[in-house]
């Protein structure tokens, strides 16, 4: 019964939205709410367009992203809609393009992938010669101090909301100049900013250097009876979190939860998870998110409990975390591997390693078997505390319990071992897991081990990993080898490196040879460079860049 007031509030809110005159924000909100059901979302879009409701570029792009999420219907829905969108004068924005590409790639629709890329590139080329790009370029080139006075002389485009929004999209990396253009446009006779232009301006200002201006604009919108649309909110919130502007993300969440276009239930827990990732998570910010969540939904979800639990354990507030778990149980949510993993992480962070290990016994007593994530947290905690020997012991115990390590856990172990000068052990473990256990590692783990091996002058082992990368179709990590060989190695070492890059009988690209030769030159080891040159294939010896390189030495010697 506790959820009933919230249900009534939400139903009443939806009735108000449907009864009110349609706005760009309400059309976007309707499409966003149906994004998990592309057919229904498209039907809603069609009804809005047929009724003459405001359907702009944002609505078109959101609808196109929604259709791209169901690539199986690309031919019946996505491409016809894209043509319709183009005919209506709207272009595909970068976020929509990348989302659709990812969807097509995942579905192995190579023809659709290529066609969309061609369409997007062509649209961008056409836009470069248009009035919108010309106006944006003119704004960028003006000095900030003279911007306001000189904008009146541009006269490059008719002022409409769509045109203003397009210019602002191209000025997204220039918030000060974007705002000056926005203010100038708002003063022009016969034009008045609406919600489309304001939302476009908000996206430009949502960054570190323009936070005060951003909030001034948001409050200006509210005073004028306009709203941040849900698509703008999602992009701003994602951007704030990516830039570690968590306070701004929380304040924007609060603002939206107080308005008619509320974020989904998943947003609150997601923001709290982002808060919890900080070295010292801000509990007050997390509580503010919870307060707004409860004010709308009247309930605590398992995800919300887990988010607060992680904030508490990461801050070492274990008594409060235990009380929270009891509340979670009382509301019908049982602790699981997520809950216990967070407790293990917090205990390890607080250097309570023995207590962290005891959690495993508690888990099993509760009928919850530790999974790979929980073991990873335990091992990572011991690595961070410097107890890499016990971390290795737990890795062995985990494998004995029929759990296979993954790339994340291997990376954790490699980092831990290397940071405590146990590079040989890291290399042995890496080879054991990759070559014998057939684990596919991350490319970054390869790079870390290669760098560390070269640091302790283990060239043969580093070359073995380079060959391993080639076998497993990773882009070869070549950068550190030429400088190292030129400083510490021999001509034969250089040949072994180049041989490691050979695919079947095909020699490496000329750039690889030039890089090695230049490195020998940088160390003034000209005779070694000459010896290596004599042993290179004929097409390398005659390559223009190689010839130019050796000619430069002759000139230097003559002078």
């Amino acid at each position: 019964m506790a959820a009933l007031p919230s249900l009534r509030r939400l139903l009443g809110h939806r009735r108000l939205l449907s009864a009110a005159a349609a706005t760009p924000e309400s059309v976007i909100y309707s499409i966003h709410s149906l994004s998990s059901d592309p057919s229904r979302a498209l039907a809603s879009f069609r009804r809005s367009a047929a009724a003459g409701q405001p359907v702009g570029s944002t609505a078109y792009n959101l609808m196109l992203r929604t259709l791209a999420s169901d690539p199986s219907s690309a031919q019946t829905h996505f491409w016809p809609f894209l043509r319709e969108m183009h005919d209506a004068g709207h272009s595909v924005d970068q976020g929509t393009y990348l989302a659709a590409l990812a969807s097509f790639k995942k579905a192995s629709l190579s023809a659709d992938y290529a066609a969309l890329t061609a369409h997007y590139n062509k649209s961008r080329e056409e836009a470069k010669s248009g009035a919108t790009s010309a106006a944006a370029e003119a704004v960028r080139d003006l000095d900030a101090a003279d911007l306001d006075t000189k904008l009146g002389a541009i006269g490059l485009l008719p002022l409409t909301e769509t045109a203003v929004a397009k210019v602002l999209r191209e000025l997204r990396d220039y918030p000060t100049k974007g705002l000056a253009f926005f203010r100038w446009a708002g003063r022009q006779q016969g034009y008045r900013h609406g919600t489309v232009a304001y939302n476009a301006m908000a996206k430009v200002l949502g960054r570190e250097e323009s936070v005060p201006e951003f909030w001034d604009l948001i409050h200006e919108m509210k005073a004028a009876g306009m709203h941040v649309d849900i698509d703008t909110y999602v992009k701003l919130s994602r951007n704030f979190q990516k830039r570690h502007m968590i306070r701004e993300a929380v304040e924007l969440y609060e603002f939206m939860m107080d308005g008619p276009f509320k974020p989904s239930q998943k947003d609150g827990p997601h923001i709290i998870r982002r808060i919890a990732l900080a070295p010292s998570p801000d509990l007050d910010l997390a509580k503010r998110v919870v307060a707004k969540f409860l004010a709308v939904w009247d309930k605590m979800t398992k995800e919300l409990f887990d988010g607060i639990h992680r904030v508490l354990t990461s801050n070492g507030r274990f008594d409060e975390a235990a009380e929270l778990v009891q509340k979670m149980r009382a509301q019908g949510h049982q602790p699981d591997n997520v809950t216990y993993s967070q407790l293990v992480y917090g205990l390890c962070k607080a250097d309570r390693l023995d207590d962290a290990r005891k959690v495993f016994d508690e888990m099993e007593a509760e009928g919850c078997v530790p999974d790979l994530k929980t073991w990873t947290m335990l091992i990572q905690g011991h690595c961070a505390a410097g107890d890499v020997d016990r971390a290795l012991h737990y890795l062995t115990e985990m494998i004995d319990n029929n759990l296979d390590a993954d790339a994340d856990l291997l990376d954790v172990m490699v980092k831990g071992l290397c940071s405590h000068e146990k590079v040989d052990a890291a290399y042995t473990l890496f080879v054991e897991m990759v070559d014998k256990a057939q684990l596919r590692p991350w490319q970054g783990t390869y790079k870390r081990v290669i760098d560390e091996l070269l640091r302790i002058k283990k060239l043969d082992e580093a070359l073995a990993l380079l060959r391993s990368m080639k076998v497993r179709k990773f882009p070869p990590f070549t950068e550190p080898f030429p400088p190292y060989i030129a400083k510490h190695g021999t001509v034969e070492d250089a040949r072994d490196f180049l041989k490691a890059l050979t695919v079947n009988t095909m020699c490496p690209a000329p750039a690889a040879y030039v890089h090695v030769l230049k490195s020998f030159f940088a160390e003034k080891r000209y005779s070694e460079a000459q010896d290596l040159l004599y042993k290179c294939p004929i097409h390398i010896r005659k390559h223009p860049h190689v010839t130019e390189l050796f000619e430069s030495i002759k000139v230097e010697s003559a002078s």
Side-chain angles (χ1 to χ4, degrees):
M1 295 297 292
L4 205 53
S6 175
L7 180 61
R8 288 184 183 131
R9 251 197 320 272
L10 287 173
L11 288 173
H13 160 66
R14 286 173 181 165
R15 280 195 295 270
L16 285 172
L17 282 179
S18 60
T23 63
E25 304 102 300
S26 63
V27 173
I28 292 166
Y29 194 72
S30 176
I31 299 168
H32 183 270
S33 300
L34 297 169
S35 59
S36 61
D37 189 339
S39 296
R40 289 183 62 201
L42 184 59
S44 175
F45 180 93
R46 296 280 185 234
R47 285 194 298 273
S48 297
Q53 293 172 356
V55 179
S57 179
T58 300
Y60 269 103
N61 273 281
L62 181 57
M63 190 64 247
L64 194 66
R65 285 203 300 276
T66 301
L67 293 173
S69 68
D70 181 19
S72 64
S73 63
Q75 297 305 318
T76 55
H77 290 130
F78 179 88
W79 290 108
F81 188 84
L82 179 57
R83 287 190 289 272
E84 176 186 330
M85 179 176 173
H86 182 265
D87 293 342
H90 300 294
S91 57
V92 179
D93 65 35
Q94 186 182 44
T96 300
Y97 167 65
L98 294 176
L101 274 190
S103 183
F104 289 156
K105 183 177 181 180
K106 185 177 180 181
S108 301
L109 298 177
S110 54
D112 294 281
Y113 187 101
L116 181 59
T117 300
H119 172 88
Y120 182 72
N121 290 338
K122 182 181 178 181
S123 298
R124 286 177 63 85
E125 287 301 317
E126 291 174 350
K128 286 179 182 178
S129 59
T132 298
S133 287
E137 185 176 352
V139 174
R140 283 194 295 267
D141 290 343
L142 290 175
D143 183 81
D146 302 326
L147 191 61
D148 195 59
T149 57
K150 292 182 179 179
L151 274 171
I154 292 176
L156 292 173
L157 75 165
L159 276 179
T160 64
E161 273 208 281
T162 299
V164 169
K166 285 183 177 179
V167 173
L168 289 173
R169 191 185 305 162
E170 296 202 29
L171 293 172
R172 57 187 173 274
D173 294 327
Y174 304 87
T176 301
K177 293 186 176 184
L179 184 58
F181 169 77
F182 180 82
R183 295 302 182 201
W184 168 81
R187 292 193 296 271
Q188 302 313 297
Q189 188 173 5
Y191 171 77
R192 183 179 180 182
H193 287 314
T195 183
V196 172
Y198 267 103
N199 274 277
M201 189 68 248
K203 292 172 189 172
V204 176
L205 292 176
R207 48 201 303 152
E208 297 93 328
E209 63 267 36
S210 50
V211 168
E213 292 82 0
F214 171 79
W215 284 113
D216 285 346
L217 185 86
I218 296 300
H219 295 309
E220 184 180 318
M221 289 176 68
K222 184 177 180 180
M226 300 180 203
H227 302 283
V228 175
D229 68 52
I230 195 67
D231 187 67
T232 298
Y233 163 74
V234 169
K235 289 176 179 175
L236 284 169
S237 184
R238 186 186 302 136
N239 190 47
F240 286 153
Q241 293 172 51
K242 181 180 176 181
R243 292 170 177 266
H244 305 289
M245 299 168 65
I246 303 301
R247 181 171 294 278
E248 286 74 19
V250 171
E251 290 174 355
L252 182 62
Y253 177 77
E254 292 175 317
F255 180 85
M256 293 296 290
M257 291 292 273
D258 286 337
F261 305 109
K262 302 185 190 305
S264 68
Q265 272 198 23
K266 66 182 181 181
D267 274 52
H270 181 76
I271 292 173
I272 291 178
R273 281 198 298 274
R274 295 292 300 189
I275 293 171
L277 291 175
S280 298
D282 191 323
L283 182 58
D284 288 336
L285 282 181
K287 287 180 176 178
R288 284 169 58 177
V289 174
V290 172
K292 283 297 177 187
F293 188 95
L294 289 175
V296 172
W297 305 112
D298 275 342
K299 64 177 180 179
M300 286 284 287
T301 64
K302 172 67 164 55
E303 292 75 18
L304 205 63
F305 272 118
D306 281 335
I308 294 294
H309 184 258
R310 179 163 182 172
V311 172
L312 290 170
T313 54
S314 189
N315 279 315
R317 301 171 74 154
F318 299 108
D319 291 340
E320 293 174 64
E323 292 175 8
L324 185 74
V325 170
Q326 293 306 315
K327 290 180 182 177
M328 186 167 69
R329 290 180 193 274
Q331 294 192 27
H333 304 294
Q334 290 303 312
D336 57 14
N337 274 291
V338 173
T339 315
Y340 285 113
S341 294
Q342 291 170 175
L343 180 57
V344 168
Y345 174 80
L347 289 167
C348 289
K349 185 179 177 182
D351 203 24
R352 292 171 55 178
L353 302 181
D354 290 337
D355 288 336
R357 184 62 182 88
K358 289 176 184 176
V359 170
F360 278 63
D361 298 329
E362 181 184 336
M363 288 180 69
E364 291 176 349
E366 292 284 341
C368 183
V369 179
D371 63 4
L372 178 60
K373 182 67 174 177
T374 316
W375 280 102
T376 299
M377 287 291 187
L378 182 68
I379 292 167
Q380 184 177 23
H382 281 75
C383 286
D387 194 348
V388 290
D389 291 331
R390 193 142 52 138
L392 276 170
H393 170 77
Y394 287 142
L395 175 63
T396 304
E397 184 181 342
M398 184 199 82
I399 293 171
D400 289 342
N401 282 318
N402 297 317
L403 280 173
D404 294 326
D406 63 359
D408 184 25
L409 181 52
L410 178 60
D411 193 63
V412 165
M413 280 302 318
V414 164
K415 284 179 182 176
L417 291 166
C418 289
S419 64
H420 292 87
E421 297 300 325
K422 296 194 175 188
V423 180
D424 287 332
Y427 171 71
T428 301
L429 176 66
F430 187 91
V431 171
E432 186 81 19
M433 301 302 292
V434 173
D435 291 345
K436 296 183 180 179
Q438 299 301 306
L439 184 152
R440 183 172 176 82
W442 290 345
Q443 186 179 6
T445 312
Y446 263 118
K447 290 181 176 181
R448 183 181 300 276
V449 182
I450 287 173
D451 274 332
E452 291 293 330
L453 287 169
L454 292 179
R455 184 177 64 83
I456 63 171
K457 298 182 173 58
K458 297 268 186 167
L459 177 61
D460 289 342
E461 289 83 351
L463 285 172
L465 291 190
L466 186 63
R467 287 188 284 269
S468 175
M469 292 186 81
K470 182 175 68 175
V471 169
R472 286 166 179 78
K473 310 298 184 186
F474 281 100
F477 180 48
T478 60
E479 289 82 354
F481 285 95
Y484 173 87
I485 292 170
K487 189 167 187 175
H488 303 290
T490 65
V491 173
E492 287 306 310
D493 291 333
R495 295 187 71 196
D496 286 342
F497 165 66
L498 293 166
K499 196 180 299 181
L501 298 180
T502 301
V503 179
N504 297 326
T505 59
M506 291 183 60
C507 295
Y513 289 91
V514 172
H515 191 185
V516 176
L517 291 168
K518 280 186 174 180
S519 297
F520 274 123
F521 275 41
E523 295 293 333
K524 301 195 181 302
R525 297 179 67 182
Y526 304 121
S527 61
E528 284 85 351
Q530 191 72 55
D531 289 345
L532 178 61
L533 181 66
Y534 289 145
K535 296 177 180 180
C536 288
I538 185 68
H539 73 281
I540 296 297
R541 295 204 296 272
K542 292 185 176 182
H543 194 277
H545 291 168
V546 174
T547 303
E548 181 183 348
L549 183 63
F550 280 87
E551 285 295 331
S552 68
I553 294 302
K554 291 179 182 178
V555 172
E556 183 181 323
S557 300
S559 64

